[in-house]
Amino acid sequence: MSELNAAPPRRAASTSSFSAIRPSRQRFMLAAAGLLLLSAILQLAAAASRWLIHPEGLGGSAPMAQDGVYDYFLASEPFAMIPGTSLPFGIGMLLQAAVIVLLAASLHRSMPGTGDSLRRAELLVGFLLGFLAAAGPALIGYHALRIGLAGTAAGIFLLVEPAGLYILAASASALLVLSIIALTRNVWAGIAMCFTVGSTLPGYLVASFLIAPLLAGDTSYDTTAGSEAIVAFSTLAAGLFVLLGCLLGRRRQSAGHLSTPRA
């Protein structure tokens, strides 16, 4: 009888420890949602500057905004910077890189219990995937930020060089793998990660050569209007899905507290 009486307190302790972890994880995800939404706002501001505020480019005899000379996603020589494009875009992409690391970390917080050695191996592989997935947006953001501060792409390592393209391709692949893993562990984080693929180099190419022409009804030379805005909306969607997951999680938690019978 004494052993039976000792069991309930043990279960109660584990339940209380679980409910103590859950709110901290929700704050973790709320921070990720906020950073994603801020990143989307900055990216949309950059796209608006190019396509709405400066539709005729830099004016005078300069080419129109569709000319590839103004492309700030992966700027290359020759490059002319439209005010308000490279700088906010670079900051936004750096924020998105930080969010990918946060989302990767949140997946490991929600792992089911496994053996210590397997858990450590999963943790190591997950963080390596997370940092590799974040490397692409981080490099794109750093590249754009440097160009925005310098006002020119001259003398700056260009990501369109083979080494840069290899890194971006590897990063996009890691993000895709991480998104698939996330869908099996935290569906909202998984959906958000799928949308962040829209900010990778393959995502930008799909937006520029497929989605933007479909929405615009034609293809512009060199860049179809609104290409960067589509990338920004994919980031916005990612932030909204993370936020939705947080709100639904909090609602389920509140419902669980209400349904818990009082002692």
Short mmCIF file of all heavy atoms in Angstrom, two decimals, residues 144-200:
data_model
loop_
_atom_site.label_atom_id
_atom_site.label_comp_id
_atom_site.label_asym_id
_atom_site.label_seq_id
_atom_site.Cartn_x
_atom_site.Cartn_y
_atom_site.Cartn_z
N ALA A 144 24.29 41.86 -48.73
CA ALA A 144 23.46 43.03 -49.03
C ALA A 144 23.74 44.18 -48.06
O ALA A 144 23.74 45.35 -48.45
CB ALA A 144 21.98 42.64 -48.98
N LEU A 145 23.98 43.84 -46.79
CA LEU A 145 24.25 44.87 -45.79
C LEU A 145 25.55 45.61 -46.10
O LEU A 145 25.62 46.84 -46.02
CB LEU A 145 24.31 44.23 -44.40
CG LEU A 145 24.43 45.17 -43.20
CD1 LEU A 145 23.22 46.08 -43.12
CD2 LEU A 145 24.57 44.37 -41.91
N ARG A 146 26.58 44.85 -46.46
CA ARG A 146 27.86 45.49 -46.81
C ARG A 146 27.71 46.40 -48.02
O ARG A 146 28.24 47.50 -48.06
CB ARG A 146 28.92 44.41 -47.10
CG ARG A 146 29.54 43.81 -45.87
CD ARG A 146 30.84 43.11 -46.20
NE ARG A 146 31.85 44.05 -46.70
CZ ARG A 146 33.02 43.67 -47.19
NH1 ARG A 146 33.32 42.37 -47.28
NH2 ARG A 146 33.88 44.56 -47.60
N ILE A 147 26.97 45.93 -49.02
CA ILE A 147 26.75 46.75 -50.22
C ILE A 147 25.93 47.98 -49.87
O ILE A 147 26.20 49.09 -50.35
CB ILE A 147 26.06 45.92 -51.31
CG1 ILE A 147 27.03 44.86 -51.84
CG2 ILE A 147 25.57 46.80 -52.45
CD1 ILE A 147 26.42 43.90 -52.84
N GLY A 148 24.92 47.80 -49.00
CA GLY A 148 24.10 48.93 -48.60
C GLY A 148 24.89 49.99 -47.87
O GLY A 148 24.67 51.19 -48.05
N LEU A 149 25.82 49.56 -47.02
CA LEU A 149 26.65 50.52 -46.28
C LEU A 149 27.70 51.18 -47.18
O LEU A 149 28.00 52.37 -47.03
CB LEU A 149 27.34 49.81 -45.11
CG LEU A 149 26.41 49.33 -43.97
CD1 LEU A 149 27.18 48.50 -42.96
CD2 LEU A 149 25.74 50.52 -43.30
N ALA A 150 28.23 50.39 -48.13
CA ALA A 150 29.27 50.93 -49.02
C ALA A 150 28.67 51.70 -50.19
O ALA A 150 29.33 52.58 -50.75
CB ALA A 150 30.14 49.79 -49.54
N GLY A 151 27.44 51.37 -50.56
CA GLY A 151 26.81 52.04 -51.69
C GLY A 151 27.25 51.48 -53.03
O GLY A 151 26.83 51.97 -54.08
N THR A 152 28.06 50.44 -53.02
CA THR A 152 28.56 49.83 -54.26
C THR A 152 28.92 48.38 -54.01
O THR A 152 29.19 47.98 -52.87
CB THR A 152 29.80 50.59 -54.78
OG1 THR A 152 30.29 49.93 -55.95
CG2 THR A 152 30.90 50.63 -53.73
N ALA A 153 28.92 47.59 -55.09
CA ALA A 153 29.33 46.19 -54.98
C ALA A 153 30.80 46.00 -55.34
O ALA A 153 31.31 44.89 -55.26
CB ALA A 153 28.46 45.32 -55.90
N ALA A 154 31.46 47.08 -55.72
CA ALA A 154 32.86 46.99 -56.13
C ALA A 154 33.74 46.60 -54.94
O ALA A 154 33.60 47.15 -53.85
CB ALA A 154 33.33 48.33 -56.70
N GLY A 155 34.63 45.65 -55.15
CA GLY A 155 35.56 45.23 -54.11
C GLY A 155 34.96 44.33 -53.05
O GLY A 155 35.63 44.00 -52.08
N ILE A 156 33.70 43.92 -53.20
CA ILE A 156 33.04 43.05 -52.23
C ILE A 156 32.86 41.67 -52.85
O ILE A 156 32.49 41.53 -54.02
CB ILE A 156 31.67 43.64 -51.81
CG1 ILE A 156 31.87 44.97 -51.09
CG2 ILE A 156 30.90 42.66 -50.92
CD1 ILE A 156 30.59 45.68 -50.74
N PHE A 157 33.17 40.62 -52.05
CA PHE A 157 33.01 39.25 -52.55
C PHE A 157 31.57 39.04 -53.00
O PHE A 157 30.62 39.31 -52.27
CB PHE A 157 33.36 38.24 -51.46
CG PHE A 157 33.01 36.82 -51.81
CD1 PHE A 157 33.78 36.12 -52.72
CD2 PHE A 157 31.91 36.20 -51.25
CE1 PHE A 157 33.46 34.82 -53.06
CE2 PHE A 157 31.58 34.89 -51.58
CZ PHE A 157 32.37 34.20 -52.49
N LEU A 158 31.40 38.58 -54.21
CA LEU A 158 30.07 38.42 -54.78
C LEU A 158 29.60 36.98 -54.65
O LEU A 158 30.34 36.03 -54.96
CB LEU A 158 30.08 38.84 -56.25
CG LEU A 158 30.50 40.30 -56.52
CD1 LEU A 158 30.54 40.57 -58.01
CD2 LEU A 158 29.55 41.27 -55.82
N LEU A 159 28.36 36.82 -54.19
CA LEU A 159 27.82 35.48 -54.00
C LEU A 159 27.50 34.78 -55.31
O LEU A 159 27.20 33.59 -55.31
CB LEU A 159 26.56 35.56 -53.13
CG LEU A 159 26.79 35.94 -51.67
CD1 LEU A 159 25.46 36.03 -50.94
CD2 LEU A 159 27.69 34.92 -50.98
N VAL A 160 27.56 35.50 -56.43
CA VAL A 160 27.32 34.85 -57.72
C VAL A 160 28.56 34.12 -58.21
O VAL A 160 28.53 33.44 -59.24
CB VAL A 160 26.85 35.88 -58.78
CG1 VAL A 160 25.48 36.40 -58.44
CG2 VAL A 160 27.86 37.01 -58.91
N GLU A 161 29.67 34.25 -57.48
CA GLU A 161 30.86 33.46 -57.79
C GLU A 161 30.58 31.99 -57.44
O GLU A 161 29.72 31.69 -56.60
CB GLU A 161 32.06 33.97 -56.99
CG GLU A 161 32.45 35.41 -57.30
CD GLU A 161 32.99 35.58 -58.71
OE1 GLU A 161 33.51 34.58 -59.25
OE2 GLU A 161 32.87 36.68 -59.26
N PRO A 162 31.28 31.04 -58.09
CA PRO A 162 31.00 29.61 -57.85
C PRO A 162 31.00 29.20 -56.37
O PRO A 162 30.11 28.47 -55.92
CB PRO A 162 32.12 28.90 -58.62
CG PRO A 162 32.45 29.84 -59.73
CD PRO A 162 32.29 31.22 -59.15
N ALA A 163 31.99 29.68 -55.59
CA ALA A 163 32.05 29.30 -54.17
C ALA A 163 30.80 29.75 -53.44
O ALA A 163 30.22 29.01 -52.63
CB ALA A 163 33.29 29.90 -53.53
N GLY A 164 30.35 30.98 -53.71
CA GLY A 164 29.14 31.49 -53.06
C GLY A 164 27.91 30.70 -53.46
O GLY A 164 27.04 30.40 -52.63
N LEU A 165 27.80 30.33 -54.74
CA LEU A 165 26.65 29.58 -55.21
C LEU A 165 26.60 28.18 -54.61
O LEU A 165 25.53 27.67 -54.29
CB LEU A 165 26.67 29.49 -56.74
CG LEU A 165 26.46 30.83 -57.48
CD1 LEU A 165 26.59 30.62 -58.98
CD2 LEU A 165 25.09 31.43 -57.14
N TYR A 166 27.76 27.56 -54.41
CA TYR A 166 27.81 26.25 -53.78
C TYR A 166 27.29 26.32 -52.34
O TYR A 166 26.53 25.46 -51.89
CB TYR A 166 29.23 25.70 -53.79
CG TYR A 166 29.73 25.30 -55.15
CD1 TYR A 166 31.08 25.46 -55.50
CD2 TYR A 166 28.87 24.75 -56.11
CE1 TYR A 166 31.55 25.10 -56.76
CE2 TYR A 166 29.33 24.39 -57.36
CZ TYR A 166 30.66 24.56 -57.69
OH TYR A 166 31.11 24.20 -58.92
N ILE A 167 27.71 27.36 -51.62
CA ILE A 167 27.26 27.52 -50.24
C ILE A 167 25.75 27.73 -50.19
O ILE A 167 25.04 27.14 -49.36
CB ILE A 167 27.99 28.69 -49.57
CG1 ILE A 167 29.49 28.38 -49.44
CG2 ILE A 167 27.40 28.98 -48.18
CD1 ILE A 167 30.32 29.55 -48.95
N LEU A 168 25.24 28.57 -51.08
CA LEU A 168 23.80 28.85 -51.09
C LEU A 168 23.00 27.60 -51.46
O LEU A 168 21.92 27.37 -50.90
CB LEU A 168 23.50 29.98 -52.08
CG LEU A 168 24.08 31.35 -51.73
CD1 LEU A 168 23.69 32.38 -52.78
CD2 LEU A 168 23.62 31.81 -50.35
N ALA A 169 23.51 26.80 -52.38
CA ALA A 169 22.81 25.57 -52.76
C ALA A 169 22.81 24.57 -51.60
O ALA A 169 21.77 23.94 -51.32
CB ALA A 169 23.48 24.95 -53.99
N ALA A 170 23.94 24.42 -50.91
CA ALA A 170 24.01 23.51 -49.76
C ALA A 170 23.09 23.98 -48.65
O ALA A 170 22.41 23.18 -47.99
CB ALA A 170 25.45 23.42 -49.26
N SER A 171 23.03 25.29 -48.42
CA SER A 171 22.17 25.85 -47.38
C SER A 171 20.69 25.61 -47.70
O SER A 171 19.92 25.23 -46.81
CB SER A 171 22.43 27.35 -47.24
OG SER A 171 21.55 27.93 -46.30
N ALA A 172 20.31 25.82 -48.95
CA ALA A 172 18.92 25.59 -49.34
C ALA A 172 18.54 24.12 -49.17
O ALA A 172 17.43 23.79 -48.72
CB ALA A 172 18.70 26.03 -50.79
N SER A 173 19.46 23.22 -49.50
CA SER A 173 19.19 21.78 -49.33
C SER A 173 19.02 21.43 -47.85
O SER A 173 18.11 20.67 -47.50
CB SER A 173 20.35 20.97 -49.93
OG SER A 173 20.51 21.26 -51.30
N ALA A 174 19.88 21.99 -47.00
CA ALA A 174 19.78 21.73 -45.56
C ALA A 174 18.46 22.26 -45.01
O ALA A 174 17.82 21.61 -44.17
CB ALA A 174 20.95 22.37 -44.83
N LEU A 175 18.04 23.43 -45.48
CA LEU A 175 16.78 24.01 -45.01
C LEU A 175 15.59 23.15 -45.44
O LEU A 175 14.63 22.97 -44.68
CB LEU A 175 16.63 25.44 -45.55
CG LEU A 175 15.38 26.20 -45.11
CD1 LEU A 175 15.29 26.27 -43.59
CD2 LEU A 175 15.38 27.61 -45.70
N LEU A 176 15.66 22.60 -46.64
CA LEU A 176 14.58 21.73 -47.12
C LEU A 176 14.50 20.46 -46.27
O LEU A 176 13.41 20.04 -45.87
CB LEU A 176 14.81 21.37 -48.59
CG LEU A 176 13.70 20.60 -49.30
CD1 LEU A 176 12.39 21.39 -49.26
CD2 LEU A 176 14.09 20.30 -50.73
N VAL A 177 15.66 19.85 -45.96
CA VAL A 177 15.68 18.66 -45.11
C VAL A 177 15.15 18.99 -43.72
O VAL A 177 14.35 18.24 -43.14
CB VAL A 177 17.12 18.10 -45.02
CG1 VAL A 177 17.21 17.00 -43.97
CG2 VAL A 177 17.57 17.57 -46.37
N LEU A 178 15.58 20.13 -43.18
CA LEU A 178 15.13 20.54 -41.85
C LEU A 178 13.63 20.79 -41.83
O LEU A 178 12.95 20.49 -40.84
CB LEU A 178 15.89 21.80 -41.43
CG LEU A 178 15.97 22.13 -39.94
CD1 LEU A 178 16.62 20.99 -39.16
CD2 LEU A 178 16.73 23.42 -39.73
N SER A 179 13.09 21.32 -42.93
CA SER A 179 11.65 21.57 -43.02
C SER A 179 10.87 20.26 -42.97
O SER A 179 9.83 20.16 -42.31
CB SER A 179 11.33 22.32 -44.31
OG SER A 179 12.00 23.55 -44.38
N ILE A 180 11.37 19.24 -43.66
CA ILE A 180 10.70 17.94 -43.67
C ILE A 180 10.73 17.32 -42.28
O ILE A 180 9.73 16.78 -41.80
CB ILE A 180 11.36 17.01 -44.71
CG1 ILE A 180 11.15 17.57 -46.12
CG2 ILE A 180 10.79 15.59 -44.61
CD1 ILE A 180 11.95 16.86 -47.19
N ILE A 181 11.89 17.41 -41.61
CA ILE A 181 12.00 16.90 -40.24
C ILE A 181 11.04 17.65 -39.32
O ILE A 181 10.35 17.06 -38.47
CB ILE A 181 13.45 17.02 -39.73
CG1 ILE A 181 14.37 16.12 -40.53
CG2 ILE A 181 13.53 16.67 -38.24
CD1 ILE A 181 15.85 16.30 -40.22
N ALA A 182 10.98 18.98 -39.49
CA ALA A 182 10.12 19.81 -38.63
C ALA A 182 8.65 19.43 -38.77
O ALA A 182 7.90 19.45 -37.79
CB ALA A 182 10.33 21.28 -38.96
N LEU A 183 8.22 19.09 -39.99
CA LEU A 183 6.82 18.74 -40.21
C LEU A 183 6.41 17.51 -39.41
O LEU A 183 5.24 17.35 -39.08
CB LEU A 183 6.57 18.50 -41.70
CG LEU A 183 6.51 19.76 -42.58
CD1 LEU A 183 6.50 19.37 -44.05
CD2 LEU A 183 5.29 20.60 -42.24
N THR A 184 7.36 16.65 -39.09
CA THR A 184 7.05 15.43 -38.33
C THR A 184 7.08 15.67 -36.83
O THR A 184 6.68 14.79 -36.07
CB THR A 184 8.05 14.31 -38.68
OG1 THR A 184 9.36 14.69 -38.22
CG2 THR A 184 8.09 14.06 -40.17
N ARG A 185 7.56 16.84 -36.38
CA ARG A 185 7.72 17.08 -34.93
C ARG A 185 6.92 18.27 -34.45
O ARG A 185 6.41 18.27 -33.33
CB ARG A 185 9.20 17.28 -34.61
CG ARG A 185 9.99 16.00 -34.82
CD ARG A 185 11.44 16.16 -34.49
NE ARG A 185 12.13 14.88 -34.62
CZ ARG A 185 13.43 14.74 -34.55
NH1 ARG A 185 14.20 15.78 -34.34
NH2 ARG A 185 13.99 13.56 -34.70
N ASN A 186 6.85 19.31 -35.24
CA ASN A 186 6.09 20.50 -34.87
C ASN A 186 5.54 21.07 -36.17
O ASN A 186 6.25 21.73 -36.92
CB ASN A 186 6.99 21.52 -34.16
CG ASN A 186 6.22 22.74 -33.68
OD1 ASN A 186 5.26 23.17 -34.31
ND2 ASN A 186 6.64 23.30 -32.57
N VAL A 187 4.27 20.78 -36.45
CA VAL A 187 3.73 21.06 -37.79
C VAL A 187 3.80 22.55 -38.14
O VAL A 187 4.09 22.92 -39.28
CB VAL A 187 2.28 20.52 -37.90
CG1 VAL A 187 1.34 21.26 -36.97
CG2 VAL A 187 1.80 20.61 -39.34
N TRP A 188 3.57 23.43 -37.13
CA TRP A 188 3.57 24.86 -37.43
C TRP A 188 4.98 25.35 -37.74
O TRP A 188 5.18 26.14 -38.67
CB TRP A 188 2.98 25.64 -36.25
CG TRP A 188 1.57 25.23 -35.96
CD1 TRP A 188 1.11 24.54 -34.87
CD2 TRP A 188 0.42 25.42 -36.81
NE1 TRP A 188 -0.24 24.30 -34.98
CE2 TRP A 188 -0.69 24.83 -36.15
CE3 TRP A 188 0.23 26.04 -38.04
CZ2 TRP A 188 -1.96 24.85 -36.70
CZ3 TRP A 188 -1.05 26.05 -38.59
CH2 TRP A 188 -2.12 25.46 -37.91
N ALA A 189 5.95 24.89 -36.98
CA ALA A 189 7.35 25.23 -37.28
C ALA A 189 7.75 24.66 -38.63
O ALA A 189 8.49 25.29 -39.39
CB ALA A 189 8.27 24.72 -36.18
N GLY A 190 7.25 23.47 -38.95
CA GLY A 190 7.56 22.84 -40.23
C GLY A 190 7.01 23.64 -41.40
O GLY A 190 7.70 23.86 -42.40
N ILE A 191 5.75 24.08 -41.29
CA ILE A 191 5.15 24.89 -42.36
C ILE A 191 5.91 26.21 -42.52
O ILE A 191 6.19 26.66 -43.63
CB ILE A 191 3.66 25.15 -42.07
CG1 ILE A 191 2.88 23.83 -42.12
CG2 ILE A 191 3.07 26.14 -43.07
CD1 ILE A 191 1.43 23.96 -41.68
N ALA A 192 6.26 26.82 -41.38
CA ALA A 192 7.02 28.07 -41.42
C ALA A 192 8.36 27.87 -42.12
O ALA A 192 8.77 28.70 -42.95
CB ALA A 192 7.24 28.59 -40.00
N MET A 193 9.06 26.78 -41.80
CA MET A 193 10.34 26.52 -42.44
C MET A 193 10.18 26.30 -43.95
O MET A 193 11.03 26.69 -44.73
CB MET A 193 11.02 25.33 -41.79
CG MET A 193 11.71 25.67 -40.48
SD MET A 193 12.74 24.32 -39.90
CE MET A 193 13.71 25.20 -38.68
N CYS A 194 9.09 25.64 -44.34
CA CYS A 194 8.83 25.46 -45.78
C CYS A 194 8.70 26.81 -46.48
O CYS A 194 9.20 26.98 -47.60
CB CYS A 194 7.57 24.63 -45.98
SG CYS A 194 7.74 22.87 -45.54
N PHE A 195 8.06 27.76 -45.82
CA PHE A 195 7.92 29.09 -46.43
C PHE A 195 9.25 29.85 -46.45
O PHE A 195 9.48 30.66 -47.34
CB PHE A 195 6.85 29.90 -45.70
CG PHE A 195 5.46 29.65 -46.21
CD1 PHE A 195 4.56 28.90 -45.48
CD2 PHE A 195 5.05 30.17 -47.43
CE1 PHE A 195 3.28 28.65 -45.95
CE2 PHE A 195 3.77 29.94 -47.92
CZ PHE A 195 2.88 29.18 -47.17
N THR A 196 10.13 29.60 -45.47
CA THR A 196 11.41 30.30 -45.49
C THR A 196 12.29 29.83 -46.65
O THR A 196 13.23 30.52 -47.04
CB THR A 196 12.19 30.10 -44.17
OG1 THR A 196 12.44 28.71 -43.96
CG2 THR A 196 11.43 30.68 -42.99
N VAL A 197 11.96 28.66 -47.23
CA VAL A 197 12.69 28.21 -48.42
C VAL A 197 12.50 29.23 -49.55
O VAL A 197 13.34 29.34 -50.44
CB VAL A 197 12.22 26.80 -48.84
CG1 VAL A 197 12.87 26.37 -50.15
CG2 VAL A 197 12.53 25.79 -47.75
N GLY A 198 11.41 29.99 -49.50
CA GLY A 198 11.19 31.02 -50.52
C GLY A 198 12.23 32.12 -50.52
O GLY A 198 12.35 32.86 -51.50
N SER A 199 13.00 32.24 -49.43
CA SER A 199 14.04 33.27 -49.36
C SER A 199 15.42 32.75 -49.75
O SER A 199 16.39 33.49 -49.68
CB SER A 199 14.11 33.85 -47.94
OG SER A 199 12.89 34.46 -47.60
N THR A 200 15.50 31.49 -50.13
CA THR A 200 16.77 30.94 -50.59
C THR A 200 16.97 31.30 -52.07
O THR A 200 16.07 31.83 -52.72
CB THR A 200 16.79 29.42 -50.43
OG1 THR A 200 15.76 28.84 -51.26
CG2 THR A 200 16.55 29.02 -48.98
#
